[in-house]
């Protein structure tokens, strides 16, 4: 267990009134909650909880400690959630190139659906029938429909494609 788990166990004990209720709330074993509390008290150097067989009540020091760490734990939880949300949702500019007749009929509806699903993404669509250099044009993706000259590129036959 890490220190955040110890702090979360302490807060749950205060809020739920017992180690058993805290264990149930955090979906941890009673022994795990007890170890967290013991480690936290050892680290702080003072008893934070008065224990009886039926309930756990904070000491004066425990109540003061609770009041200080509760907002910090909420902030940490919010920060974790915010970071996870950023990871989960694509954002930024996507530059796409496509042929003149293909883009309005086939690509535009797909781009509209994509933008509805990922509103933090901005799509810049460059429509042209001429051959373009992806890097020179700053494109992330291009759709081209034409006969390609022989190339030294070989298809990747190891890819597993499922239709």
């Amino acid at each position: 267990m890490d220190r955040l788990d110890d702090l979360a166990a302490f807060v749950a004990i205060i809020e739920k009134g017992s180690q058993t209720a805290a264990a149930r709330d955090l979906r941890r074993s009673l022994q795990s909650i007890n170890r967290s509390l013991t480690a936290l008290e050892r680290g702080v150097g003072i008893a934070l909880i008065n224990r009886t067989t039926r309930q756990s009540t904070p000491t004066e020091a425990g109540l003061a400690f609770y009041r200080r760490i509760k907002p910090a734990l909420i902030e940490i939880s919010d920060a974790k959630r915010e970071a996870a949300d950023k990871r989960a949702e694509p954002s930024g500019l996507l530059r796409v190139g496509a042929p003149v007749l293909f883009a309005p009929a086939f690509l535009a509806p797909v781009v509209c659906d994509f933008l509805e699903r990922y509103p933090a993404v901005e799509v810049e669509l460059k429509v042209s029938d001429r051959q373009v250099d992806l890097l020179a044009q700053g494109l992330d993706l291009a759709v081209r429909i034409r006969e390609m000259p022989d190339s030294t590129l070989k298809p990747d036959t190891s890819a597993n494609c499922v239709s």
Side-chain angles (χ1 to χ4, degrees):
M1 291 287 162
D2 65 16
R3 291 287 179 160
L4 285 177
D5 287 336
D6 295 347
L7 294 171
F10 170 71
V11 167
I13 292 167
I14 299 270
E15 292 178 350
K16 300 301 177 184
S18 74
Q19 291 183 48
T20 303
R24 198 175 313 118
D25 186 60
L26 295 176
R27 293 187 173 108
R28 290 174 52 187
S29 71
L30 180 57
Q31 294 80 10
S32 170
I33 295 295
N34 189 34
R35 278 192 303 271
S36 286
L37 179 58
T38 301
L40 186 60
E41 287 178 329
R42 191 175 301 124
V44 174
I46 191 166
L48 300 171
I49 299 286
N50 291 318
R51 301 157 177 86
T52 67
T53 55
R54 297 203 182 265
Q55 66 181 10
S56 300
T57 57
T59 62
E60 188 176 320
L63 196 53
F65 189 68
Y66 168 80
R67 288 185 183 131
R68 293 289 305 268
I69 67 164
K70 176 66 176 177
L73 286 177
I74 290 171
E75 280 295 316
I76 290 168
S77 177
D78 289 348
K80 283 181 177 181
R81 190 172 19 264
E82 187 176 305
D85 288 346
K86 297 271 188 228
R87 178 191 73 223
E89 184 164 331
S91 63
L93 177 62
L94 178 64
R95 292 181 179 97
V96 180
V100 173
L101 295 176
F102 181 82
F106 298 99
L107 195 56
V110 173
V111 168
C112 287
D113 290 344
F114 181 83
L115 290 173
E116 282 181 24
R117 184 169 181 186
Y118 303 106
V121 175
E122 182 181 336
V123 175
E124 181 180 300
L125 184 58
K126 295 184 178 186
V127 179
S128 171
D129 284 331
R130 62 186 179 83
Q131 186 172 349
V132 296
D133 179 346
L134 292 175
L135 293 176
Q137 295 293 316
L139 296 174
D140 300 304
L141 169 73
V143 177
R144 291 293 173 233
I145 303 169
R146 73 173 104 222
E147 288 290 324
M148 297 297 289
D150 284 343
S151 172
T152 58
L153 297 176
K154 296 184 174 153
D156 181 6
T157 57
S158 67
N160 243 348
C161 296
V162 178
S163 298

